[in-house]
Amino acid sequence: MQPTKLFSKGIVTGFRRGQRNQTVNNSLVKIEGVTTKADTEFYHGKRIAYIYRAQKSRKNRITKRETKLRVIWGKVRRSHGSSGVVRAAFKKNLPPKAIGATVRVMLYPSRV
């Protein structure tokens, strides 16, 4: 029996923006396998994790081990456009190096 997959892959494509201004507290995420606005409705309210490697190691609060991995958590807020891109709000705004990076779109909380 194969393990259950708890997340889908997504790519941060940038920030929500107009012609001159960008809103850095709204990130645009393209989710793998999602191509229409109707497909994005399943992901509304789902949690997103941006995992990155920091310079200094810190003790993990849960496992009590030293690690350089950090996480910024966010949530899918709504769809953006008609091609399957979603808007996401993160607890702390994503850094510019996150553009083009992969994120994990968790398949919880469930709205079923």
Side-chain angles (χ1 to χ4, degrees):
M1 189 169 155
Q2 291 184 334
T4 309
K5 189 174 169 189
L6 292 176
F7 64 89
S8 298
K9 276 175 57 171
I11 296 175
V12 179
T13 58
F15 300 112
R16 181 173 173 235
R17 54 172 296 160
Q19 187 176 5
R20 292 174 186 86
N21 301 327
Q22 71 180 11
T23 314
V24 294
N25 54 353
N26 285 313
S27 301
L28 302 179
V29 177
K30 177 73 177 134
I31 302 172
E32 196 176 72
V34 178
T35 55
T36 64
K37 190 172 189 171
D39 293 344
T40 63
E41 290 189 18
F42 170 78
Y43 291 97
H44 290 184
K46 300 285 192 263
R47 311 250 300 152
I48 298 182
Y50 168 64
I51 301 170
Y52 65 100
R53 190 175 302 276
Q55 240 180 346
K56 293 187 176 181
S57 60
R58 265 193 204 161
K59 189 174 278 194
N60 187 312
R61 284 183 276 190
I62 297 168
T63 61
K64 308 293 186 220
R65 285 185 280 175
E66 293 280 323
T67 180
K68 289 186 177 184
L69 294 177
R70 311 267 167 84
V71 179
I72 299 176
W73 286 98
K75 189 181 284 191
V76 175
R77 292 297 184 193
R78 57 177 290 180
S79 59
H80 180 84
S82 59
S83 63
V85 178
V86 295
R87 293 183 200 168
F90 287 83
K91 297 278 186 193
K92 292 180 182 166
N93 296 340
L94 291 182
K97 73 171 189 174
I99 296 175
T102 58
V103 292
R104 292 181 178 186
V105 182
M106 302 299 177
L107 299 180
Y108 56 82
S110 175
R111 295 187 308 137
V112 178

